[in-house]
Amino acid sequence: MRTETAILYTLPHDPLTGAVSVPIYQTSTFEQEAPGVNRGFDYSRTNNPTRQAFEELLAALEGGTRGIAFSSGLAAVDAVLKLLSSGDEVVAVDDIYGGTYRALHTIYDRFGITVKHVDTSDVASVLEAITPRTRLIWLETPTNPTLKVSDIRAIASIAQAARALLLVDNTFCSPVAQQPLKLGADIVLHSITKYIAGHSDVIGGGIVVKDEELGRRIRYIQNATGAVLGPQDSWLAIRGAQTLHLRYERISASAQRVAEFLHGHPDVAGVNYPGLRSHPGHLVARAQNAGGQFGGVISFWLKDDREEHAVELVGHTALVTLAESLGGVKSLVCVPGRMTHASVPRDARRAAGIHDSLVRLSIGLEHPDDLIADLGQALAKVKERSTEKIPA
Ligand SMILES: *Cc1c(COP(=O)(O)O)cnc(C)c1O
């Protein structure tokens, strides 16, 4: 049975009524038959039937033994970092998600945890960064917003030799395109907010592990610190996840077309999209990626590499909405230098490949012809205005 069939097949019917849609168990507590004797649930921070249904679905999607659902992606990040102790070191991808960077560098640094950022698309630099204190390797592949690709299998063997845990933040790929546990990772993390819930209507996070003891430790941290996904939001996540395969397939096909359009456009200097043959990580992405689906996130920069041109461009798109986030049914656009990565100094941004005019797209479910037409007219307007400005 293929994953998508298995997931739908195993989603539980309500044992009480046979309801085909998992009910929203909006309750904080559960009746006990005798003190300490319950029907599997006692208090909703510890466990809730709606959340449990989503957690089982998430574990099935990633091929793990346990899924744990959090109140946000960053709450999941936080729970993993609580596995560490003072003096431990983390080796992390250099253009790591901004919120994860903030947690590591403004909160966990005060607890004696140090981080080394390396370009993980270069396996040798990961190896060099390892010390006897390295406990955790943190990957995102592809990264945000430059879409750099790292070799999960190669880095998993480095992690194993170093007795460090390998975590892959799999938000961009979703389990449809990439299942890191099968490539040797120990922990998979998701911002459920993005592709899995998929409709820009819920904030949630998730962790999946294959080792049962590690799963118990993370579950313990979650129950001890409390960042759980509520029943309503769990239901929305279940609802979204049931169409993940369809959405991701369509979004990837559309994004490939949009990336090719941008790649051939005379005003575009470069396009980051792992589905393009010209992308340096194309072959690695293809090898670790099921069915050659490369997702919906594309970034590109302009020949005339000035930030005001990127700002102007996103002001001219009509169909594509200017907003942070990604992975929803509606296409979104943002200027990372001004928005998601504004807190990174300009020199550091440029060193990380974030050009001044870099624009990031999250492709949704609109028809690709319409998206291409919208981006084409916006690019033409930027061109028109910049030629007007050149004095005769
Ligand atoms: C959005 C995102 C997060 C954080 O998730 P929230 O649900 O916003 O807390 C973490 N990692 C990646 C790659 C993301 O895109």
Side-chain angles (χ1 to χ4, degrees):
M1 208 187 280
R2 300 288 184 95
T3 355
E4 58 265 51
T5 317
I7 285 157
L8 295 172
Y9 180 69
T10 52
L11 261 179
H13 297 167
D14 179 36
L16 212 59
T17 64
V20 168
S21 163
V22 175
I24 302 171
Y25 281 93
Q26 193 69 50
T27 183
S28 60
T29 191
F30 300 82
E31 184 200 22
Q32 305 198 3
E33 283 152 21
V37 181
N38 60 47
R39 283 160 267 194
F41 301 94
D42 56 5
Y43 188 62
S44 280
R45 171 164 31 74
T46 310
N47 206 357
N48 173 282
T50 315
R51 190 170 90 231
Q52 182 175 295
F54 174 61
E55 289 175 330
E56 283 168 5
L57 191 161
L58 190 63
L61 276 168
E62 285 288 3
T65 59
R66 189 192 274 256
I68 308 172
F70 291 84
S71 52
S72 70
L74 279 178
V77 167
D78 186 68
V80 173
L81 296 179
K82 286 187 178 120
L83 289 167
L84 302 175
S85 303
S86 178
D88 288 351
E89 286 180 10
V90 181
V91 172
V93 58
D94 50 7
D95 48 354
I96 194 165
Y97 177 73
T100 309
Y101 184 92
R102 187 171 52 206
L104 284 165
H105 292 275
T106 69
I107 298 177
Y108 283 91
D109 61 336
R110 290 190 282 111
F111 295 95
I113 288 158
T114 51
V115 188
K116 281 190 198 156
H117 290 284
V118 298
D119 178 356
T120 54
S121 66
D122 172 25
V123 176
S125 67
V126 178
L127 194 55
E128 267 166 43
I130 302 278
T131 76
R133 314 204 99 170
T134 308
R135 288 282 171 279
L136 178 64
I137 301 179
W138 194 288
L139 285 189
E140 287 170 28
T141 176
T143 59
N144 176 32
T146 58
L147 287 303
K148 272 198 294 205
V149 173
S150 299
D151 185 336
I152 298 173
R153 208 174 255 132
I155 296 172
S157 61
I158 294 175
Q160 204 175 14
R163 295 170 176 272
L165 293 170
L166 173 61
L167 177 145
V168 178
D169 180 335
N170 204 29
T171 299
F172 273 41
C173 270
S174 98
V176 173
Q178 180 170 281
Q179 293 175 307
L181 297 180
K182 294 189 180 156
L183 301 168
D186 301 289
I187 305 172
V188 174
L189 186 142
H190 280 283
S191 170
I192 300 298
T193 315
K194 316 293 169 52
Y195 286 106
I196 291 182
H199 294 72
S200 306
D201 54 10
V202 62
I203 298 283
I207 286 174
V208 185
V209 296
K210 56 188 172 194
D211 180 70
E212 287 179 20
E213 179 49 31
L214 182 60
R216 263 192 293 277
R217 281 169 64 205
I218 297 173
R219 169 66 97 201
Y220 179 88
I221 289 169
Q222 182 188 47
N223 186 48
T225 58
V228 296
L229 192 65
Q232 291 269 353
D233 289 348
S234 297
W235 187 86
L236 282 166
I238 292 170
R239 174 155 171 138
Q242 290 174 84
T243 56
L244 174 65
H245 284 80
L246 285 176
R247 285 184 285 107
Y248 204 82
E249 193 180 317
R250 170 66 188 261
I251 283 171
S252 296
S254 295
Q256 184 73 34
R257 285 202 46 208
V258 172
E260 280 164 11
F261 161 75
L262 291 168
H263 188 62
H265 195 285
D267 301 336
V268 173
V271 181
N272 299 314
Y273 186 66
L276 292 177
R277 250 179 229 133
S278 57
H279 188 283
H282 175 69
L283 290 178
V284 174
R286 173 145 289 223
Q288 66 191 14
N289 180 311
Q293 296 184 58
F294 301 99
V297 181
I298 302 169
S299 66
F300 64 99
W301 67 102
L302 304 175
K303 287 242 163 87
D304 194 353
D305 187 22
R306 283 189 290 165
E307 193 183 71
E308 67 257 34
H309 288 165
V311 171
E312 209 186 314
L313 179 80
V314 300
H316 289 310
T317 57
L319 191 57
V320 183
T321 307
L322 176 63
E324 287 179 12
S325 197
L326 60 108
V329 291
K330 280 186 137 189
S331 292
L332 305 178
V333 65
C334 75
V335 179
R338 277 271 174 103
M339 297 164 72
T340 49
H341 290 65
S343 58
V344 183
R346 180 165 179 263
D347 285 346
R349 279 205 307 261
R350 288 165 64 92
I354 305 176
H355 297 262
D356 291 339
S357 66
L358 194 81
V359 171
R360 188 190 81 185
L361 286 167
S362 166
I363 299 300
L365 290 179
E366 301 88 349
H367 196 284
D369 289 349
D370 296 323
L371 293 171
I372 288 170
D374 192 34
L375 291 166
Q377 65 80 27
L379 283 163
K381 282 197 181 130
V382 173
K383 171 88 169 182
E384 225 170 82
R385 295 244 317 161
S386 64
T387 41
E388 264 168 28
K389 277 185 228 148
I390 296 171

